[in-house]
Each structure stands twice: as structure tokens, then as C-alpha cells.
Amino acid sequence: MRDLRLTPTSFAAIQQAADAPRSIPTDTRLVERDHPADGLHIVLDGVLASCVTLESGVSQTVGLYLTGDIIGLDAMALGQATANVYAVSPARLARIPTGRVKALIAEHPDIMESLWRATARQNAILQEWAIGMGRRQALGQVAHLLCEIAFRLRLAGKADERGCDFPLTQSALADAVGLSTVHVNRVLQLLRADDLIQLTRTRLRIVDWPRLAAVADFDPGYLGSGDMDAALLLPPGDTQRTREGRDRRPMHQH
Amino acid sequence: MRDLRLTPTSFAAIQQAADAPRSIPTDTRLVERDHPADGLHIVLDGVLASCVTLESGVSQTVGLYLTGDIIGLDAMALGQATANVYAVSPARLARIPTGRVKALIAEHPDIMESLWRATARQNAILQEWAIGMGRRQALGQVAHLLCEIAFRLRLAGKADERGCDFPLTQSALADAVGLSTVHVNRVLQLLRADDLIQLTRTRLRIVDWPRLAAVADFDPGYLGSGDMDAALLLPPGDTQRTREGRDRRPMHQH
DNA sequence: CGCAACATTGAACGGTATCAAGTATGGTGG
DNA sequence: CCACCATACTTGATACCGTTCAATGTTGCG
């Protein structure tokens, strides 16, 4: 079961099944909670958030989709979406309509296993968020999210030593960590004052990774460095920068 | 894709693949984080918790397994477990070893889809927990967990109008909602004083479901009333009480 | 240039944690 | 059957973390 990657045949099949990439502006709502699945969306660029709003009006972000992530797995598996998904920054997506996903699954059994694995990975990430909101203090909580985003972007080849794009506003951040915007602002200033990060409106650079990881109690194991959801599905032209530190052989984690 | 249930053949195959049920006492550790999958465990009776401990020593429960739930999906999909699982009460389990799970999947394609769906459902539940820990106050948060447990037990046929077994200690509850034991105690007293619940050491009865659900902002949609993970996999002798309000026909939710 | 969105700052309030007792409850051995 | 012990539950006082409200800077874009 481990090391199951898509076969070259399945890989090619997926690439052909995807629609032409389309771009959407910030705030576009892509998925509506309780609506039936409209297919899978592969993030080629940008950031989207999975978000739930309570009766009381407060909202909580329960997941972020970065380059290479797959949107719509929950809806595909359960029949309907469990959260709203909207673009936090301008984004580029490739869609595979529901019918074609079903056809792919029927024809290539390894694809469903990959989708299952991707679902389990999103579960692991969400689990880590839950730990943070339940038991971490604001400082560690925010630091952890920054670590996670930077790490995931690096896996996707979208970050280098000089940092990564960071299109989240402080209020989007606050929504993700379950804090108020005001407090997130203060925590970010603490992290800056300690020379742990540099963060501008659009760019994040982690100055002192070891110390930030210590503050955050960050252990990237749950991100499964060996298996990107769909990074390998990107058309050749969409692979930006070099995939530093990664190769195409399956990674053994046991 | 919707309404996909196991075919009778697959159903029978799973039942035959399971080991004889075994009983474990409270506090038994069943799964260790980062360890490879040792198969799937179907909960026949009792409660188990999925739990992560931070460096600092504090721990957070990220999932509860009740009758009918499947333990080990994450490990099966990802190759290693993402959390520790231990028994919160005496429990009875049926195990399907990894090898046999693989064989089942290879032979009956619909089984993998069911496992994928079960994984997605656990994801939806965890999502709801994350919302609670991020945005709900202690009262609503505790009320919500009580609603969820009571509802899931009712789906599993383990609860009636007179209430359900509730083997969780207050400190286990606190661990699940991300609060201190002391505060959970106070919140429970509030709920009791308002005549919303009756809760003894081992039994929970929801006195005023509508009002409790209102306090909790509880909407059971995410629990997917039509699809128990593995309730239907229980050997006939293991089906306790009557499955009130449920039948064996697939339920359409669209 | 002016407006709107985002970021920053301060003061006061409130929810929850923590610490430190004390009180049921159930199980066990004599 | 009772005394005892361990575990769970309850209660109060205090401190802190994070929220809320409100105002002021700042940035970028049409």
C-alpha cells in the first residue's frame, strides 16, 4: 500500500481529463457547502480557503488549498461539499468534471487509491489544526501555521531561501487560527521583533527556521514530504522553479 | 457515486475477513502514532479516542471512535498512523489485518470507495470539531460534543429515548473539546441546571434536545445519517437493541 | 488624489486557566 | 459488611490570555 504512486498511464489519463486551466479573481466562491460535487479542482497557483460559517455569523477556516492541492475530494466521496471554498488570492485552477473523475476511477484503480490518500493527508493536516486551536497558545499557533504554509509551498516548488508569496491578509490568517484579527497582528509583531520572520503584505520569509519551528512545535512529518497531492499532475509548463530537494522516486518513510 | 453501498458480496467478504472479536480494557493503546498500519479495527462496542500529545506534554483528542466506526483508515491510506488511539472505556473490536484489507480492496473495488467515504466522513467530523475549538464558546462547544456523541450512538442503535451509555470522564471530555477539566465541569453543571441534560458517571440523557441543539448550534448534516461507516458490518449477533428508525435500504440524501 | 482595504495601537472587559482545596463514588480486601 | 483507597467530581479565588471597541496609520489602486 505504501509508495503507491500513479502509474504513468494513469498520470497521463488525468492530465488529459482536466479542462484547460482557468483563472479566478480573489473572493470567487468555488464550492458551496452542501452542494453536490462538481468535480475535482487542482490548484495550479494561488491560495483558496475552505471555510464554515456558524449561525452566529462567525466563520472558521478549516483548510487551505495551495499549489498542487486538490479541491473537492470531500464532495466527491460524500456526494456533497462539507464547506465553502473561496479564493483568498487570484488563483489558477484545472477542473476535472465529476463524470470524467468517475470514468478515470473506473478505468485506473490506482487513481482512487491516490484520491483516498490525498483525503487522508488533508485529514492529517486538519488534525494538526485542531491540536493548535485546542491546545496551542496564540504565538505557537500562528507560528505553526506560518511554518506549515512555508513548508507546503516549498514542497510545491513555490518557495526558496528568499521566502515565498504570502497572499493571506491578517484577517484571513485570524480566520484560520481561530483568533481575532487584532491579536494576530500583535503576535506577528512579536515574531518580527524576535527576528523569526519577515512578513510584508504579500511575501513571507522565515528568517530563523529552527527557532520558529521550536516556538511553533512544528514537526513536518504530518505533511508527508514524499507525496504531494497533485503536484505531479501539473502540466510541464506549470511547474515553476526547481523542485529543490525532491526527486521523482517514491520516498520510503518506513 | 452517491448511494454507493457495499454489494452483498463485498459485505460478506468483509465479514469473513475479520478476526474473531476481542475485548480490551480501558486505557489499552491500540495504535501508536507514526507506526505502520496493522490493519483496520471495527468498533463493536465501547469508545476509543484518537489523541496527539505535544512536546509540552498537553494532549488533544482529535477524534472519537464509537460503535460502528473504523479505526486505522489514516494509517492504511498513508502508511502510518497520524495519532495514538486508546480505549476510553472497555471495548470490543474486530480486526482485519493489513494483508486481508489489501486483498479485499483488490477483489472488490467498491470496498475501497467505501473506505474512502468513511475517511471523508471522519474528515467532516474533525472539521466540525475544529470549528468548535476555534469559534465556539465553552458552553456551545461542550453541548455540541454531547449532541454529536448522542446522535452518533443513536445512529449506531446504541441509544434510545432513555439516553445512552456515556463512558467518558470529564477529563476525557475536556481533552476532546480543548478546555480544562475544571471548566468542563462548570459547563456541565450549567447544562444540568438548565434541564438540558442528565449526566451521571456512566450515562447521558438529553432532556431537551431542541434547546440543547440550539445552544450547541448543532446540525447533524455532517454526520451523514444515511451512511454508517461499518455499522452494517457487525455480525448479526453483535447488533444490539433495535435499529429504530433505520432500515437496510440505502438512504438517498440528494 | 482620494478612497477603500488593510494594518497598527491602546484601554477595558471577559472567558478560561490555574492552583488548591474539599466531596462523592466505586472497587477491594479484610 | 465495613474500612479503606483511588479515582472522579465539585467548588472557590486569582491571574492571564485574548477579545472587543474605537481610533489612527498606512498602502495600493482607480
Side-chain angles (χ1 to χ4, degrees):
Chain A
M1 183 94 33
R2 51 181 164 43
D3 293 333
L4 189 144
R5 272 266 159 101
L6 293 174
T7 63
T9 321
S10 305
F11 178 67
I14 290 183
Q15 284 190 319
Q16 286 177 2
D19 287 343
R22 68 176 164 137
S23 293
I24 59 174
T26 303
D27 285 336
T28 308
R29 192 164 297 125
L30 187 69
V31 174
E32 199 90 28
R33 185 179 188 180
D34 293 336
H35 283 206
D38 74 330
L40 297 176
H41 302 263
I42 299 175
V43 181
L44 302 178
D45 208 0
V47 179
L48 296 95
S50 182
C51 174
V52 177
T53 303
L54 294 182
E55 298 286 336
S56 54
V58 299
S59 79
Q60 171 70 52
T61 295
V62 292
L64 287 178
Y65 298 102
L66 310 177
T67 300
D69 290 332
I70 303 175
I71 298 170
L73 288 169
D74 56 334
M76 193 61 58
L78 294 175
Q80 54 185 319
T82 61
N84 303 315
V85 178
Y86 68 94
V88 163
S89 74
R92 220 166 80 259
L93 302 163
R95 187 171 84 106
I96 310 178
T98 304
R100 263 177 259 166
V101 174
K102 289 185 192 176
L104 280 172
I105 288 175
E107 197 167 347
H108 308 273
D110 60 321
I111 288 182
M112 185 156 73
E113 184 150 359
S114 281
L115 296 181
W116 180 23
R117 236 179 39 252
T119 305
R121 172 130 310 129
Q122 291 184 3
N123 214 326
I125 292 175
L126 183 53
Q127 206 167 281
E128 205 67 32
W129 284 35
I131 297 164
M133 290 191 287
R135 295 303 182 192
R136 264 187 255 265
Q137 304 213 131
L139 188 76
Q141 165 80 336
V142 171
H144 193 275
L145 185 58
L146 296 182
C147 284
E148 178 185 315
I149 293 173
F151 196 91
R152 285 168 65 184
L153 285 177
R154 197 149 60 84
L155 285 183
K158 304 284 284 184
D160 54 25
E161 321 73 38
R162 298 193 317 280
C164 56
D165 285 337
F166 194 86
L168 297 180
T169 75
Q170 292 187 356
S171 92
L173 257 180
D175 210 73
V177 291
L179 296 167
S180 68
T181 312
V182 173
H183 204 62
V184 165
N185 180 290
R186 292 183 169 122
V187 166
L188 288 177
Q189 290 177 59
L190 285 180
L191 293 174
R192 280 192 275 241
D194 262 354
D195 273 327
L196 295 174
I197 62 169
Q198 288 170 5
L199 177 62
T200 70
R201 192 173 289 267
T202 59
R203 204 149 176 85
L204 166 67
R205 182 169 127 79
I206 295 188
V207 177
D208 190 334
W209 191 286
R211 272 173 58 225
L212 185 65
V215 167
D217 202 349
F218 179 72
D219 171 10
Y222 71 100
L223 293 172
S225 49
D227 273 327
M228 286 293 297
D229 283 355
L232 300 179
L233 301 181
L234 304 183
D238 283 305
T239 313
Q240 303 194 358
R241 298 196 180 82
T242 57
R243 290 242 183 78
E244 48 173 55
R246 302 188 61 232
D247 57 35
R248 289 170 173 281
R249 284 182 293 105
M251 288 185 60
H252 298 252
Q253 7 193 16
H254 304 301
Chain B
M1 183 94 31
R2 52 183 162 41
D3 292 332
L4 190 145
R5 271 264 160 106
L6 294 174
T7 64
T9 322
S10 305
F11 179 65
I14 290 184
Q15 284 191 318
Q16 287 177 0
D19 288 343
R22 68 176 164 139
S23 294
I24 59 175
T26 304
D27 285 337
T28 308
R29 194 165 294 125
L30 187 69
V31 174
E32 198 90 29
R33 185 178 189 181
D34 293 337
H35 283 206
D38 73 330
L40 297 177
H41 302 263
I42 299 174
V43 182
L44 302 177
D45 205 1
V47 179
L48 296 95
S50 182
C51 172
V52 178
T53 303
L54 294 181
E55 298 284 337
S56 54
V58 299
S59 78
Q60 172 69 52
T61 295
V62 292
L64 287 178
Y65 298 103
L66 310 178
T67 299
D69 290 334
I70 303 175
I71 298 171
L73 289 169
D74 56 335
M76 193 63 57
L78 294 175
Q80 53 185 313
T82 61
N84 303 314
V85 178
Y86 69 94
V88 164
S89 75
R92 220 166 80 260
L93 303 164
R95 188 172 82 105
I96 310 177
T98 305
R100 262 177 259 165
V101 174
K102 289 186 194 176
L104 280 172
I105 289 175
E107 198 167 345
H108 308 273
D110 61 321
I111 288 182
M112 185 156 74
E113 183 150 359
S114 282
L115 296 180
W116 179 23
R117 237 184 34 254
T119 305
R121 172 129 308 132
Q122 291 183 4
N123 215 327
I125 292 175
L126 183 53
Q127 205 167 285
E128 205 65 32
W129 284 34
I131 297 163
M133 291 191 288
R135 297 300 181 194
R136 263 188 256 265
Q137 303 215 130
L139 190 76
Q141 165 79 337
V142 171
H144 193 276
L145 185 57
L146 296 181
C147 284
E148 178 186 316
I149 293 174
F151 196 91
R152 285 168 64 184
L153 284 176
R154 198 150 60 85
L155 285 184
K158 304 283 283 185
D160 54 27
E161 321 74 40
R162 298 193 318 280
C164 58
D165 285 336
F166 194 85
L168 297 180
T169 81
Q170 292 188 357
S171 94
L173 257 181
D175 210 72
V177 291
L179 296 167
S180 69
T181 312
V182 174
H183 204 64
V184 165
N185 180 288
R186 293 187 167 120
V187 166
L188 287 177
Q189 290 177 59
L190 285 181
L191 293 174
R192 281 192 275 239
D194 262 352
D195 273 326
L196 296 173
I197 62 169
Q198 288 170 3
L199 179 62
T200 70
R201 191 175 290 270
T202 59
R203 205 150 174 84
L204 166 68
R205 183 169 128 79
I206 295 187
V207 176
D208 190 335
W209 191 287
R211 272 173 58 225
L212 185 65
V215 167
D217 202 350
F218 179 73
D219 171 11
Y222 71 100
L223 293 173
S225 50
D227 273 326
M228 286 293 299
D229 283 355
L232 299 179
L233 301 180
L234 305 184
D238 283 306
T239 312
Q240 304 193 357
R241 298 194 180 84
T242 56
R243 289 240 182 79
E244 47 176 55
R246 303 188 62 232
D247 57 34
R248 288 168 175 283
R249 283 181 293 102
M251 289 184 61
H252 299 252
Q253 14 190 13
H254 305 297

